[in-house]
């Protein structure tokens, strides 16, 4: 899908301008395109932002920013920017193509086809557009239309191997396995290194003949060609299991988890294999990891209940099966398991559960959309809607290995340790952006070469009242230089001596508190900021830093060991930031910090309000958009969350794209 990126970026500009603004937009556009070419997607967006701010009437920067967002899986943002490019130049064909692919990525295939047709009006022989249109038609279940499009595509491009693979998938969907195999064999004649062709030939072998041995041979070839594909190792493990190669299956799951340590399918499947050899401890560990990542993964909860029962951990087993029954109240097998657990615990209700299980065993489980947990269990497919299955068939699903859909191996055709590359693909934990603090030290980054602006800090800097320049950041900077550390200890001694012999001033206590905060002496620093505020009750920055230090003190108190003390200290920190905005209503960073604390206090409505205040004051506050989007997703408001994260990513907050991708799965 991204194989044509170099061609795309070297296209002749459709819109040009020799007019110079305050920045050299032509030069900046070239730099942005170069960054795009080298997959510095997040950085390239910052260049295009500057061009758009200087010359908002140009189409090109919107188009290239859309391309960068698309490569970061921000499909909503890509659609918005591509639309802006089209509004400024209706003849920019590439923008229609990009928007169509973004629509298709979001499942809006009807709009995608409309954009593809617009491109085909001008480029009727375009291979990639015809291919994408066929994929979209298949997604809409318009199989005959898709076959017609493939016929047109192969008449014009008879050596396009991926088209044969695409048509094979379509024919397999239509249960025409003979024609599907013919297409796949032709694709491999044209390109013996087509990994996706081997993958789909394996699918055909299973669908047509349940020939797992032949499927395994083809999957081996696919892995040789794509040795870093997690999904291929997971699916080969399934085939090895089917051919009684337990050791090989376990090896594949282990390797898949080396490639992707948080892969739910690999963790879940490995737990089932471990359970088969009665390694219940390791199996429970895998399932616990799964449930920590996705608490509503009911297949995992069911199996963990069984395994904890085997380990005689009855309360844990009961907790899991209770949660499963609450989510899926019509599952007979769950009541039978709970009956056994309650019997073992000597609890009442075991007989009622047994009777309930026998009663439900005669009933079918329906897929009518009324139970979201059933959709999560079975997979939310159109095919299953309106169907029903026996209790035995449903129970059997709980002990079956899962595979990963290989459909994404046929990609749409398009050109497409740091912020470089597809940052959304990195498996790292995603947390809200942390609070801001005033400090003497910052850690510049490629996207944040300077600290944040805070008027109150700048006003103190202008007085030259402190020995160090105040800076503002939300990145914790460790002080490792022994000379600097020594200077701050000396500064503390100086201010203590000075204050014992002179009339105290608020700025002196503030300076003392800053040095102590720098050395992480947060309790003493908080006391100094309190004294500064007592001398100057309108000292907004003093309240701000008192809030920061009390927040740091709360951070030293773990929730498990000191829950109430931590809550009290967080509430106190919140009150200081509230006082800061009373004195300085335009202090966006204080509102932001309040939002972070509200998240920790699980007051998500107030968190959204605080971040919204920060954004109202500072409309380019990327971190506030990110955190608000994070909270929206937590509350289940995916459209609002996606919108905020798209904006945050545009403003340079790279983790936005990781969270966007994770929440779209």
């Amino acid at each position: 899908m991204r194989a044509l990126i170099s061609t795309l970026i070297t296209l002749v500009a459709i819109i040009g301008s020799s007019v110079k603004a305050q920045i050299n937009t032509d030069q900046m556009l070239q730099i942005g395109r170069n960054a795009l070419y080298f997959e510095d997607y997040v950085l390239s967006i910052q260049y295009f932002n500057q061009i758009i701010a200087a010359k908002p009437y140009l189409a090109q920067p919107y188009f290239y920013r859309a391309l960068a967002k698309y490569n970061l899986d921000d499909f909503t943002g890509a659609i918005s920017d591509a639309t802006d490019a089209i509004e400024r130049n209706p003849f920019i064909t590439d923008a229609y193509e990009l928007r169509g692919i973004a629509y298709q990525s979001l499942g809006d295939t009807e709009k995608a086809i409309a954009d593809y047709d617009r491109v085909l009006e001008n480029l009727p022989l375009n291979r990639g557009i015809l291919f994408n249109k066929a994929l979209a038609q298949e997604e809409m279940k318009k199989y005959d239309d898709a076959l017609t499009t493939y016929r047109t595509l192969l008449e014009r491009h008879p050596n396009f191997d991926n088209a044969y693979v695409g048509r094979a998938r379509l024919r397999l969907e239509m249960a025409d396995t003979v024609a599907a195999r013919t297409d796949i064999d032709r694709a491999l004649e044209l390109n013996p290194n087509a990994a996706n062709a081997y993958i789909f030939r394996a699918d055909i072998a299973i669908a047509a003949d349940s020939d797992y041995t032949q499927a395994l041979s083809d999957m081996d070839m696919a892995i040789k060609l794509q040795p870093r594909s997690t999904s291929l190792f997971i699916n080969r493990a399934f085939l090895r299991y089917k051919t009684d190669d337990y050791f090989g299956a376990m090896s594949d799951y282990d390797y898949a988890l080396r490639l992707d340590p948080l892969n739910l399918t690999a963790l879940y499947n490995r737990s089932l294999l471990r359970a088969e050899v009665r390694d219940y401890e390791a199996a429970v560990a895998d399932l616990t990891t799964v449930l920590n990542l996705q608490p509503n993964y009911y297949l995992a909860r069911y199996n963990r209940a069984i395994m904890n029962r085997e380990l005689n951990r009855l309360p844990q087993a009961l907790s899991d099966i209770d949660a499963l029954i609450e989510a899926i109240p019509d599952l007979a097998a769950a009541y039978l398991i709970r009956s056994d657990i309650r019997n073992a615990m000597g609890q009442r209700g075991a007989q009622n559960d047994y009777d309930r299980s026998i009663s439900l065993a005669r009933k079918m489980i329906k897929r009518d959309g009324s139970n979201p947990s059933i959709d999560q269990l079975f997979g939310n497919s159109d095919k299953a809607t309106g169907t029903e299955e026996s209790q035995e068939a449903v129970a059997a699903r709980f002990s079956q290995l899962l595979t990963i859909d290989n459909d994404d191996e046929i990609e749409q055709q398009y050109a497409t340790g740091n912020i470089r590359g597809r940052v959304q693909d990195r498996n790292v934990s995603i947390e809200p952006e942390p609070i801001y603090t005033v400090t003497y030290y910052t850690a510049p980054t490629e996207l944040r070469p300077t600290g944040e602006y805070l008027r109150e800090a700048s006003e103190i800097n202008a007085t030259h009242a402190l020995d160090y320049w105040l800076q503002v950041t939300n990145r914790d900077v460790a002080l490792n230089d022994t000379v600097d550390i020594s200077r701050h200890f000396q500064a503390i001694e100086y201010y203590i001596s000075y204050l014992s012999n002179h009339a105290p001033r608020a700025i002196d206590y503030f300076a003392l508190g800053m040095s102590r905060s720098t050395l992480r002496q947060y309790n003493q620093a908080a006391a100094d900021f309190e004294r500064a505020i007592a001398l100057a009750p309108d000292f907004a920055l003093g309240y701000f830093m008192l809030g920061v230090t009390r927040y740091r003190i709360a951070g030293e108190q773990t929730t498990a060991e000191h829950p109430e003390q931590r809550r009290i200290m967080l509430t106190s920190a919140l009150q200081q930031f509230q006082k800061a905005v009373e004195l300085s209503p335009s202090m966006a960073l204080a509102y932001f910090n309040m939002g972070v604390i509200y998240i920790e206090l699980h007051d998500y409505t107030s968190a959204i309000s605080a971040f919204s205040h920060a954004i109202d004051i500072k409309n380019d506050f990327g971190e506030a958009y990110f955190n608000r989007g994070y909270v929206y997703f937590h509350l289940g408001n995916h459209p609002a969350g996606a919108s905020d994260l798209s904006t945050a990513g545009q403003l340079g907050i790279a983790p936005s794209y990781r969270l966007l991708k994770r929440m779209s799965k």
Side-chain angles (χ1 to χ4, degrees):
M1 181 161 51
R2 300 171 181 86
L4 302 180
I5 186 169
S6 58
T7 302
L8 175 65
I9 299 182
T10 56
L11 287 173
V12 177
I14 296 175
I15 293 180
S17 173
S18 59
V19 180
K20 305 296 182 184
Q22 291 181 342
I23 61 173
N24 187 327
T25 53
D26 291 336
Q27 183 182 51
M28 190 160 290
L29 183 65
Q30 184 60 47
I31 295 171
R33 289 167 61 181
N34 288 341
L36 192 60
Y37 176 80
F38 287 107
E39 299 185 358
D40 285 355
Y41 301 125
V42 178
L43 184 61
S44 72
I45 288 173
Q46 307 313 304
Y47 287 113
F48 301 134
N49 288 347
Q50 294 184 56
I51 301 170
I52 289 168
K55 295 184 178 180
Y57 51 84
L58 292 179
Q60 278 185 304
Y62 282 103
F63 168 68
Y64 286 119
R65 191 171 72 178
L67 178 58
K69 290 180 178 179
Y70 171 79
N71 278 283
L72 291 165
D73 291 343
D74 179 7
F75 304 123
T76 302
I79 289 168
S80 176
D81 277 348
T83 301
D84 283 334
I86 290 167
E87 288 175 354
R88 286 156 178 77
N89 180 2
F91 304 103
I92 184 165
T93 305
D94 296 312
Y96 288 102
E97 180 181 356
L98 176 58
R99 189 174 67 176
I101 295 172
Y103 275 133
Q104 192 169 349
S105 299
L106 290 175
D108 197 340
T109 48
E110 191 169 346
K111 288 182 179 178
I113 290 173
D115 275 343
Y116 295 150
D117 286 340
R118 180 63 182 268
V119 177
L120 290 169
E121 290 175 8
N122 298 318
L123 302 170
L125 303 180
N126 186 286
R127 188 177 80 169
I129 295 298
L130 286 168
F131 183 76
N132 290 345
K133 182 178 178 181
L135 292 179
Q137 289 168 328
E138 180 186 345
E139 289 176 30
M140 295 181 71
K141 312 300 181 186
K142 294 182 177 180
Y143 298 140
D144 290 337
D145 290 346
L147 282 173
T148 299
T149 302
Y150 276 123
R151 187 180 305 115
T152 302
L153 170 61
L154 288 167
E155 286 172 356
R156 296 172 179 177
H157 304 280
N159 295 323
F160 183 22
D161 59 283
N162 215 29
Y164 285 102
V165 178
R167 191 169 69 176
R169 185 183 72 167
L170 172 62
R171 285 174 162 168
L172 185 60
E173 186 75 13
M174 298 171 71
D176 188 352
T177 54
V178 174
R181 185 178 280 116
T182 299
D183 274 342
I184 284 294
D185 289 343
R186 177 58 179 155
L188 287 169
E189 286 177 18
L190 292 168
N191 181 8
N193 294 321
N196 53 357
Y198 289 107
I199 293 168
F200 280 105
R201 194 164 71 176
D203 288 344
I204 294 169
I206 296 170
D209 309 311
S210 297
D211 189 346
Y212 295 105
T213 301
Q214 178 58 47
L216 182 58
S217 175
D218 281 331
M219 194 63 71
D220 287 341
M221 283 298 300
I223 286 176
K224 286 181 181 178
L225 295 165
Q226 294 185 355
R228 302 289 296 175
S229 172
T230 304
S231 64
L232 294 186
F233 282 97
I234 291 172
N235 289 347
R236 189 175 70 175
F238 171 79
L239 296 174
R240 284 178 160 177
Y241 173 81
K242 285 292 188 179
T243 55
D244 296 327
D245 181 4
Y246 280 65
F247 179 81
M250 186 67 75
S251 175
D252 274 347
Y253 288 134
D254 288 342
Y255 191 72
L257 288 164
R258 284 173 58 191
L259 294 172
D260 182 1
L262 301 181
N263 190 286
L264 297 180
T265 304
L267 285 164
Y268 175 77
N269 284 359
R270 189 173 70 176
S271 76
L272 296 188
L273 281 191
R274 285 174 163 175
E276 284 203 25
V277 297
R278 306 187 68 81
D279 187 2
Y280 295 121
E281 287 282 2
V284 167
D286 277 346
L287 293 175
T288 299
T289 302
V290 169
L291 289 166
N292 286 339
L293 293 167
Q294 188 171 323
N296 294 333
Y297 203 120
Y298 296 111
L299 294 172
R301 200 163 289 283
Y302 175 95
N303 281 288
R304 192 171 70 172
I306 292 175
M307 294 173 198
N308 273 325
R309 171 67 181 95
E310 292 288 342
L311 292 167
N312 207 35
R313 295 171 181 166
L314 301 179
Q316 295 93 324
L318 183 62
S319 175
D320 276 337
I321 209 67
D322 282 344
L324 178 66
I325 288 173
E326 183 178 354
I328 309 175
D330 297 329
L331 187 63
Y335 290 96
L336 188 61
I337 292 168
R338 191 167 71 177
S339 172
D340 175 60
I341 295 170
R342 283 179 164 172
N343 259 327
M345 297 178 72
Q347 286 189 354
R348 290 186 298 179
Q351 186 62 45
N352 289 339
D353 279 340
Y354 180 81
D355 294 341
R356 175 70 170 156
S357 174
I358 297 299
S359 174
L360 286 172
R362 305 185 184 96
K363 296 181 179 180
M364 305 291 281
I365 290 184
K366 296 182 179 181
R367 290 294 309 279
D368 57 6
S370 61
N371 192 334
S373 299
I374 289 290
D375 291 335
Q376 189 275 342
L377 170 64
F378 286 88
N380 191 13
S381 66
D382 293 337
K383 286 182 181 178
T385 303
T387 63
E388 57 183 17
E389 287 191 86
S390 69
Q391 291 281 352
E392 292 81 359
V394 173
R397 288 176 181 256
F398 283 91
S399 58
Q400 293 174 352
L401 297 180
L402 304 178
T403 58
I404 291 181
D405 193 351
N406 286 314
D407 286 356
D408 59 358
E409 299 298 336
I410 294 187
E411 293 188 333
Q412 299 159 305
Q413 301 295 300
Y414 198 64
T416 59
N418 44 32
I419 59 170
R420 289 177 173 78
R422 291 173 56 81
V423 296
Q424 74 277 22
D425 290 340
R426 297 180 189 148
N427 269 313
V428 295
S429 61
I430 301 172
E431 300 291 341
E433 285 288 299
I435 69 164
Y436 276 88
T437 184
V438 177
T439 177
Y440 292 141
Y441 303 93
T442 61
T445 66
E446 196 168 0
L447 294 178
R448 289 284 188 275
T450 61
E452 190 60 66
Y453 173 77
L454 183 61
R455 176 177 58 82
E456 291 76 8
S458 295
E459 289 174 349
I460 290 180
N461 286 336
T463 67
H464 299 281
L466 302 178
D467 293 333
Y468 294 85
W469 201 256
L470 294 179
Q471 302 181 70
V472 183
T473 183
N474 71 333
R475 292 289 175 259
D476 197 18
V477 180
L479 192 59
N480 297 317
D481 190 298
T482 56
V483 174
D484 285 335
I485 293 172
S486 176
R487 285 174 179 169
H488 285 294
F489 276 115
Q490 291 171 8
I492 290 171
E493 293 177 3
Y494 166 78
Y495 278 110
I496 291 174
S497 174
Y498 180 86
L499 286 165
S500 66
N501 297 300
H502 295 79
R505 298 180 304 168
I507 193 64
D508 298 324
Y509 278 114
F510 182 82
L512 180 57
M514 285 298 301
S515 281
R516 282 176 161 162
S517 178
T518 300
L519 296 176
R520 304 184 186 278
Q521 299 175 4
Y522 296 125
N523 282 291
Q524 297 93 322
D528 291 330
F529 293 132
E530 287 173 357
R531 294 187 183 99
I533 292 167
L535 292 170
D538 60 348
F539 193 1
L541 194 60
Y543 286 101
F544 183 90
M545 285 307 298
L546 180 56
V548 169
T549 50
R550 288 185 174 170
Y551 177 83
R552 300 297 189 205
I553 294 168
E556 295 172 349
Q557 300 170 331
T558 64
T559 303
E561 296 177 4
H562 307 283
E564 187 59 22
Q565 295 95 315
R566 177 177 168 78
R567 186 191 66 79
I568 291 171
M569 194 56 66
L570 286 173
T571 302
S572 176
L574 183 65
Q575 292 168 347
Q576 308 315 311
F577 292 125
Q578 289 169 337
K579 183 63 177 179
V581 295
E582 286 178 18
L583 294 168
S584 184
S586 63
M587 193 184 286
L589 300 185
Y591 279 112
F592 176 88
N593 288 358
M594 289 164 58
V596 174
I597 294 175
Y598 280 128
I599 290 176
E600 296 200 27
L601 292 171
H602 306 295
D603 185 351
Y604 300 114
T605 302
S606 295
I608 288 174
S609 176
F611 293 131
S612 297
H613 276 299
I615 291 167
D616 288 342
I617 296 167
K618 179 177 165 54
N619 61 12
D620 63 346
F621 201 163
E623 289 83 354
Y625 279 106
F626 177 86
N627 280 10
R628 191 173 69 176
Y630 180 100
V631 176
Y632 275 135
F633 271 124
H634 186 87
L635 294 175
N637 189 343
H638 283 232
S643 176
D644 273 352
L645 290 176
S646 177
T647 302
Q650 180 176 307
L651 292 169
I653 310 303
S656 302
Y657 299 108
R658 291 194 288 273
L659 184 53
L660 264 175
K661 180 172 184 178
R662 187 168 298 179
M663 297 308 296
S664 66
K665 288 183 177 180

